[in-house]
Amino acid sequence: MNETLVTVVGNVATPPDFREAANGAAVSRFRLAATVRRWDRERAEWTDAYTSFYTVWAWRALAANVVGSVTVGEPLIVQGKLRIQEQEREGKRWLSADIDALSIGHDLARGTSAFRRVSPAVAQAVTPLATPAPTRASVGRDVAETAPSL
């Protein structure tokens, strides 16, 4: 419950890496660079301040769609759960900011994108031997169970 949800706007810094996790789920990751822009009054123009880098993790269908849709340099909007990781490597302490992505999309304020819906695998229909008559209580549940997910 008490997870930190963030929305980060930035550019893809590394090619998405796709693999299969130990549990069989598809996973992909890439680095996202978010650069702060500041108005410089002396020059009367926008200038870059500092850049923060995030490792973005995508799972299952989102992982596959990221690999097929995202390339280095593209502007993205990423929404997900922020995790700060603390590690020790070669005797030095490192902190990293990871985002478990819930949603990823191109930033349409900076360009255009062409969307293609991906159809989930369709299960083979099984005809039951005997179909009981629907009851008033089961009608809404049956419709919800058979409705296609969007």
Side-chain angles (χ1 to χ4, degrees):
M1 243 178 123
N2 295 318
E3 296 178 285
T4 304
L5 294 177
V6 295
T7 301
V8 179
V9 178
N11 292 327
V12 180
T14 62
D17 176 32
F18 183 83
R19 56 183 110 132
E20 203 170 281
N23 65 1
V27 61
S28 88
R29 70 173 179 174
F30 62 92
R31 299 279 285 162
L32 184 73
T35 302
V36 173
R37 306 264 299 157
R38 302 251 193 253
W39 180 253
D40 186 339
R41 289 183 184 177
E42 293 176 11
R43 294 184 190 167
E45 64 183 22
W46 289 97
T47 59
D48 290 344
Y50 58 90
T51 302
S52 296
F53 288 89
Y54 301 90
T55 301
V56 177
W57 295 88
W59 296 86
R60 298 175 219 24
L62 181 57
N65 292 342
V66 162
V67 171
S69 304
V70 172
T71 59
V72 173
E74 292 181 339
L76 293 183
I77 301 172
V78 176
Q79 181 190 30
K81 301 172 206 168
L82 178 66
R83 285 185 295 130
I84 303 299
Q85 302 288 336
E86 187 174 343
Q87 302 171 355
E88 190 170 319
R89 287 185 262 163
E90 301 173 9
K92 294 183 181 178
R93 195 171 127 208
W94 293 88
L95 293 175
S96 66
D98 292 5
I99 299 173
D100 286 330
L102 301 173
S103 181
I104 299 172
H106 287 104
D107 184 354
L108 298 181
R110 298 192 272 163
T112 62
S113 184
F115 180 79
R116 292 178 305 280
R117 185 174 300 280
V118 177
S119 300
V122 179
Q124 295 293 327
V126 177
T127 307
L129 296 175
T131 306
T135 64
R136 184 177 179 103
S138 69
V139 170
R141 187 185 74 237
D142 292 340
V143 171
E145 291 172 354
T146 60
S149 59
L150 298 177

